[in-house]
Amino acid sequence: LNNFSLESIAAALKPAENELLPKDSLKEFGLKLNGAMVASDGFLALISPTSTISSFINPDFSGFLYYDDKNAWPGYVFKLKEGADLTQAKTAVAALEKANLAALYPVNPGAPAKGGFKNGSVGDIKTRYLTFPTAKVSFVYGWQGEYLIMSTSFDGFKKATGLLQSEE
């Protein structure tokens, strides 16, 4: 990254058409600014300056791109700090629901659906999601054990949680 903004992150993650991987592929990435890995507290503060979720999260985190047939949709995986209270972390992450999540998308998803976030699930994982009807995408987050997964694609969320389950 040349600068640290949601716009520069979204631009850096938008692949050219010839860089698209096959549909349903997942590719891991890390964010570097001036040669150093970006820590989770800085990234989460960029998304939602008022959220306290970073106090519960390890500094290291991973990003992933989920590929559909036209785009690559970013997502992120964070791990709960050892000794951190999961219940408090779940409460703190809810502040992200007030953030400008459209800025996380590599293409403008349009306005979010009226009614805001809704409850959902993927297997045993309870999720919260927000749809962007114009672009037919959604922002999804949920906890899989000690991992917080956030994705700009429902299919990407499902793929990432499936891979986490296979590693546990």
Side-chain angles (χ1 to χ4, degrees), residues 57-71:
I57 302 293
N58 278 334
D60 296 333
F61 70 104
S62 294
F64 63 86
L65 288 173
Y66 172 78
Y67 292 81
D68 65 13
D69 52 353
K70 295 180 184 172
N71 286 301

Side-chain angles (χ1 to χ4, degrees), residues 38-52:
V38 173
S40 63
D41 61 345
F43 179 73
L44 291 166
L46 190 62
I47 296 171
S48 178
T50 61
S51 174
T52 60

Side-chain angles (χ1 to χ4, degrees), residues 2 10 18 21 23 40 57 77-78 82 86 104 119-120 122-123 125 129-130 141 147 153-154 165:
N2 295 327
N18 63 347
L21 295 180
K23 184 178 179 175
S40 63
I57 302 293
V77 179
F78 305 89
E82 190 169 324
L86 180 59
L104 293 173
N119 292 321
V122 172
I125 303 168
Y129 68 94
L130 177 67
Y141 74 89
Y147 293 95
S153 160
F154 179 65
Q165 281 181 332

Side-chain angles (χ1 to χ4, degrees), residues 114-131:
K114 296 196 184 316
F117 274 82
K118 294 181 176 35
N119 292 321
S121 64
V122 172
D124 297 349
I125 303 168
K126 292 181 181 177
T127 63
R128 296 279 293 160
Y129 68 94
L130 177 67
T131 59

Side-chain angles (χ1 to χ4, degrees), residues 10-156:
L13 296 178
K14 184 175 180 174
E17 275 190 41
N18 63 347
E19 295 174 333
L20 288 175
L21 295 180
K23 184 178 179 175
D24 203 37
S25 295
L26 204 73
K27 179 180 176 181
E28 187 176 7
F29 69 86
L31 297 174
K32 283 188 175 182
L33 178 64
N34 300 322
M37 294 300 290
V38 173
S40 63
D41 61 345
F43 179 73
L44 291 166
L46 190 62
I47 296 171
S48 178
T50 61
S51 174
T52 60
I53 186 61
S54 62
S55 63
F56 299 95
I57 302 293
N58 278 334
D60 296 333
F61 70 104
S62 294
F64 63 86
L65 288 173
Y66 172 78
Y67 292 81
D68 65 13
D69 52 353
K70 295 180 184 172
N71 286 301
W73 304 102
Y76 304 91
V77 179
F78 305 89
K79 187 174 182 185
L80 192 68
K81 281 183 184 174
E82 190 169 324
D85 185 280
L86 180 59
T87 302
Q88 290 178 348
K90 287 180 178 182
T91 300
V93 78
L96 294 175
E97 294 184 12
K98 295 177 178 80
N100 176 18
L101 299 171
L104 293 173
Y105 286 80
V107 295
N108 184 350
K114 296 196 184 316
F117 274 82
K118 294 181 176 35
N119 292 321
S121 64
V122 172
D124 297 349
I125 303 168
K126 292 181 181 177
T127 63
R128 296 279 293 160
Y129 68 94
L130 177 67
T131 59
F132 293 86
T134 305
K136 298 182 180 159
V137 295
S138 57
F139 180 85
V140 184
Y141 74 89
W143 289 88
Q144 182 173 345
E146 60 188 7
Y147 293 95
L148 169 63
I149 302 102
M150 300 184 327
S151 180
T152 59
S153 160
F154 179 65
D155 288 336

